[in-house]
mmCIF file of all heavy atoms in Angstrom:
data_model
loop_
_atom_site.group_PDB
_atom_site.id
_atom_site.type_symbol
_atom_site.label_atom_id
_atom_site.label_comp_id
_atom_site.label_asym_id
_atom_site.label_seq_id
_atom_site.Cartn_x
_atom_site.Cartn_y
_atom_site.Cartn_z
ATOM 1 N N LEU A 82 -5.133 -40.854 35.773
ATOM 2 C CA LEU A 82 -4.437 -40.422 36.969
ATOM 3 C C LEU A 82 -3.037 -41.016 37.036
ATOM 4 O O LEU A 82 -2.717 -41.964 36.327
ATOM 5 C CB LEU A 82 -5.200 -40.829 38.189
ATOM 6 C CG LEU A 82 -6.625 -40.288 38.284
ATOM 7 C CD1 LEU A 82 -7.384 -40.949 39.402
ATOM 8 C CD2 LEU A 82 -6.599 -38.769 38.469
ATOM 9 N N SER A 83 -2.219 -40.446 37.896
ATOM 10 C CA SER A 83 -0.937 -41.121 38.127
ATOM 11 C C SER A 83 -0.967 -41.727 39.518
ATOM 12 O O SER A 83 -1.954 -41.599 40.257
ATOM 13 C CB SER A 83 0.218 -40.162 37.928
ATOM 14 O OG SER A 83 0.096 -39.105 38.815
ATOM 15 N N LEU A 84 0.116 -42.360 39.884
ATOM 16 C CA LEU A 84 0.177 -43.066 41.176
ATOM 17 C C LEU A 84 1.242 -42.414 42.050
ATOM 18 O O LEU A 84 2.284 -42.026 41.542
ATOM 19 C CB LEU A 84 0.591 -44.483 40.950
ATOM 20 C CG LEU A 84 -0.380 -45.449 40.287
ATOM 21 C CD1 LEU A 84 0.287 -46.812 40.087
ATOM 22 C CD2 LEU A 84 -1.614 -45.601 41.181
ATOM 23 N N GLU A 114 -0.052 -56.140 42.345
ATOM 24 C CA GLU A 114 0.217 -56.637 41.004
ATOM 25 C C GLU A 114 1.462 -56.009 40.423
ATOM 26 O O GLU A 114 1.911 -54.978 40.934
ATOM 27 C CB GLU A 114 -0.999 -56.344 40.082
ATOM 28 C CG GLU A 114 -1.268 -54.887 39.869
ATOM 29 C CD GLU A 114 -2.699 -54.630 39.344
ATOM 30 O OE1 GLU A 114 -3.656 -54.811 40.116
ATOM 31 O OE2 GLU A 114 -2.835 -54.248 38.157
ATOM 32 N N PRO A 115 2.022 -56.584 39.377
ATOM 33 C CA PRO A 115 3.223 -56.020 38.791
ATOM 34 C C PRO A 115 2.960 -54.622 38.265
ATOM 35 O O PRO A 115 1.873 -54.373 37.716
ATOM 36 C CB PRO A 115 3.568 -56.958 37.620
ATOM 37 C CG PRO A 115 2.762 -58.171 37.828
ATOM 38 C CD PRO A 115 1.575 -57.789 38.663
ATOM 39 N N LYS A 116 3.917 -53.744 38.386
ATOM 40 C CA LYS A 116 3.826 -52.434 37.717
ATOM 41 C C LYS A 116 4.631 -52.557 36.420
ATOM 42 O O LYS A 116 5.858 -52.640 36.432
ATOM 43 C CB LYS A 116 4.412 -51.340 38.616
ATOM 44 C CG LYS A 116 4.337 -49.966 38.017
ATOM 45 C CD LYS A 116 4.755 -48.935 39.057
ATOM 46 C CE LYS A 116 4.792 -47.516 38.509
ATOM 47 N NZ LYS A 116 5.202 -47.333 37.141
ATOM 48 N N PHE A 117 3.903 -52.645 35.333
ATOM 49 C CA PHE A 117 4.542 -52.869 34.048
ATOM 50 C C PHE A 117 5.342 -51.682 33.613
ATOM 51 O O PHE A 117 4.895 -50.539 33.746
ATOM 52 C CB PHE A 117 3.488 -53.143 32.947
ATOM 53 C CG PHE A 117 2.542 -54.261 33.309
ATOM 54 C CD1 PHE A 117 1.262 -53.977 33.803
ATOM 55 C CD2 PHE A 117 2.932 -55.573 33.149
ATOM 56 C CE1 PHE A 117 0.414 -54.996 34.137
ATOM 57 C CE2 PHE A 117 2.050 -56.596 33.470
ATOM 58 C CZ PHE A 117 0.797 -56.316 33.982
ATOM 59 N N SER A 121 1.425 -46.429 29.163
ATOM 60 C CA SER A 121 0.026 -46.504 29.589
ATOM 61 C C SER A 121 -0.885 -46.040 28.449
ATOM 62 O O SER A 121 -0.591 -45.033 27.791
ATOM 63 C CB SER A 121 -0.075 -45.574 30.790
ATOM 64 O OG SER A 121 -1.292 -45.672 31.366
ATOM 65 N N ARG A 172 -7.901 -49.240 30.844
ATOM 66 C CA ARG A 172 -6.512 -48.797 30.892
ATOM 67 C C ARG A 172 -5.616 -49.986 31.023
ATOM 68 O O ARG A 172 -5.913 -50.951 31.710
ATOM 69 C CB ARG A 172 -6.339 -47.880 32.103
ATOM 70 C CG ARG A 172 -4.906 -47.344 32.224
ATOM 71 C CD ARG A 172 -4.890 -46.269 33.258
ATOM 72 N NE ARG A 172 -3.565 -45.745 33.454
ATOM 73 C CZ ARG A 172 -3.298 -44.690 34.227
ATOM 74 N NH1 ARG A 172 -4.284 -44.056 34.827
ATOM 75 N NH2 ARG A 172 -2.073 -44.285 34.372
ATOM 76 N N GLU A 174 -1.291 -51.436 29.786
ATOM 77 C CA GLU A 174 0.058 -51.072 29.422
ATOM 78 C C GLU A 174 0.455 -51.772 28.114
ATOM 79 O O GLU A 174 0.234 -52.996 27.974
ATOM 80 C CB GLU A 174 0.992 -51.526 30.563
ATOM 81 C CG GLU A 174 2.273 -50.773 30.639
ATOM 82 C CD GLU A 174 2.141 -49.500 31.498
ATOM 83 O OE1 GLU A 174 1.017 -49.070 31.826
ATOM 84 O OE2 GLU A 174 3.196 -48.911 31.778
ATOM 85 N N TYR A 226 -5.360 -53.570 32.968
ATOM 86 C CA TYR A 226 -5.407 -53.650 34.445
ATOM 87 C C TYR A 226 -6.478 -52.761 35.079
ATOM 88 O O TYR A 226 -6.616 -52.745 36.279
ATOM 89 C CB TYR A 226 -4.040 -53.363 35.065
ATOM 90 C CG TYR A 226 -3.316 -52.128 34.566
ATOM 91 C CD1 TYR A 226 -3.767 -50.865 34.896
ATOM 92 C CD2 TYR A 226 -2.160 -52.235 33.828
ATOM 93 C CE1 TYR A 226 -3.103 -49.744 34.462
ATOM 94 C CE2 TYR A 226 -1.467 -51.110 33.367
ATOM 95 C CZ TYR A 226 -1.944 -49.861 33.699
ATOM 96 O OH TYR A 226 -1.274 -48.761 33.263
ATOM 97 N N GLU A 227 -7.220 -52.016 34.292
ATOM 98 C CA GLU A 227 -8.212 -51.165 34.950
ATOM 99 C C GLU A 227 -9.374 -50.845 34.054
ATOM 100 O O GLU A 227 -9.188 -50.605 32.854
ATOM 101 C CB GLU A 227 -7.551 -49.834 35.391
ATOM 102 C CG GLU A 227 -8.435 -49.022 36.329
ATOM 103 C CD GLU A 227 -7.946 -47.583 36.512
ATOM 104 O OE1 GLU A 227 -6.932 -47.185 35.892
ATOM 105 O OE2 GLU A 227 -8.600 -46.832 37.242
ATOM 106 N N VAL A 289 2.146 -52.474 42.080
ATOM 107 C CA VAL A 289 1.081 -51.513 42.352
ATOM 108 C C VAL A 289 0.184 -52.131 43.449
ATOM 109 O O VAL A 289 -0.301 -53.233 43.304
ATOM 110 C CB VAL A 289 0.227 -51.241 41.102
ATOM 111 C CG1 VAL A 289 -0.925 -50.293 41.437
ATOM 112 C CG2 VAL A 289 1.092 -50.638 40.003
ATOM 113 N N GLN A 291 -3.165 -51.647 45.705
ATOM 114 C CA GLN A 291 -4.413 -50.880 45.655
ATOM 115 C C GLN A 291 -5.447 -51.462 46.623
ATOM 116 O O GLN A 291 -5.450 -52.681 46.856
ATOM 117 C CB GLN A 291 -5.004 -50.909 44.248
ATOM 118 C CG GLN A 291 -4.078 -50.443 43.175
ATOM 119 C CD GLN A 291 -4.719 -50.552 41.786
ATOM 120 O OE1 GLN A 291 -5.530 -49.714 41.425
ATOM 121 N NE2 GLN A 291 -4.373 -51.601 41.058
ATOM 122 N N PRO A 308 -4.974 -41.109 43.163
ATOM 123 C CA PRO A 308 -5.936 -41.579 44.163
ATOM 124 C C PRO A 308 -5.230 -41.826 45.501
ATOM 125 O O PRO A 308 -4.027 -42.154 45.538
ATOM 126 C CB PRO A 308 -6.417 -42.898 43.566
ATOM 127 C CG PRO A 308 -5.369 -43.341 42.646
ATOM 128 C CD PRO A 308 -4.584 -42.138 42.188
ATOM 129 N N TRP A 310 -6.002 -44.258 47.348
ATOM 130 C CA TRP A 310 -6.153 -45.692 47.641
ATOM 131 C C TRP A 310 -5.152 -46.573 46.887
ATOM 132 O O TRP A 310 -5.285 -47.791 46.847
ATOM 133 C CB TRP A 310 -7.555 -46.160 47.329
ATOM 134 C CG TRP A 310 -8.181 -45.554 46.106
ATOM 135 C CD1 TRP A 310 -9.081 -44.535 46.066
ATOM 136 C CD2 TRP A 310 -7.977 -45.938 44.752
ATOM 137 N NE1 TRP A 310 -9.428 -44.232 44.765
ATOM 138 C CE2 TRP A 310 -8.763 -45.088 43.943
ATOM 139 C CE3 TRP A 310 -7.187 -46.916 44.109
ATOM 140 C CZ2 TRP A 310 -8.791 -45.164 42.558
ATOM 141 C CZ3 TRP A 310 -7.211 -47.001 42.742
ATOM 142 C CH2 TRP A 310 -8.010 -46.135 41.969
HETATM 143 S S1 IVH B 1 -3.108 -48.808 38.157
HETATM 144 C C1 IVH B 1 -5.023 -44.613 39.307
HETATM 145 N N1 IVH B 1 -1.725 -50.886 37.594
HETATM 146 O O1 IVH B 1 2.344 -46.955 36.170
HETATM 147 C C2 IVH B 1 -3.937 -45.163 38.492
HETATM 148 N N2 IVH B 1 -0.882 -48.767 36.846
HETATM 149 O O2 IVH B 1 2.045 -43.667 37.587
HETATM 150 C C3 IVH B 1 -4.264 -46.539 38.073
HETATM 151 N N3 IVH B 1 1.186 -48.906 35.541
HETATM 152 O O3 IVH B 1 1.636 -44.791 33.962
HETATM 153 C C4 IVH B 1 -3.085 -47.199 37.567
HETATM 154 N N4 IVH B 1 1.396 -51.087 35.649
HETATM 155 O O4 IVH B 1 -0.189 -46.596 33.843
HETATM 156 C C5 IVH B 1 -1.786 -49.555 37.474
HETATM 157 N N5 IVH B 1 -0.610 -52.857 37.133
HETATM 158 C C6 IVH B 1 -0.689 -51.532 37.024
HETATM 159 C C7 IVH B 1 0.267 -50.769 36.333
HETATM 160 C C8 IVH B 1 0.157 -49.388 36.251
HETATM 161 C C9 IVH B 1 1.934 -49.966 35.202
HETATM 162 C C10 IVH B 1 1.544 -47.507 35.151
HETATM 163 C C11 IVH B 1 0.414 -46.536 35.072
HETATM 164 C C12 IVH B 1 1.144 -45.190 35.190
HETATM 165 C C13 IVH B 1 2.276 -45.569 36.094
HETATM 166 C C14 IVH B 1 2.063 -45.005 37.494
#
Side-chain angles (χ1 to χ4, degrees):
L82 301 170
S83 60
L84 290 175
E114 64 197 71
K116 181 172 176 326
F117 305 101
S121 186
R172 181 169 178 172
E174 205 87 348
Y226 49 71
E227 192 193 2
V289 177
Q291 305 178 79
W310 39 260

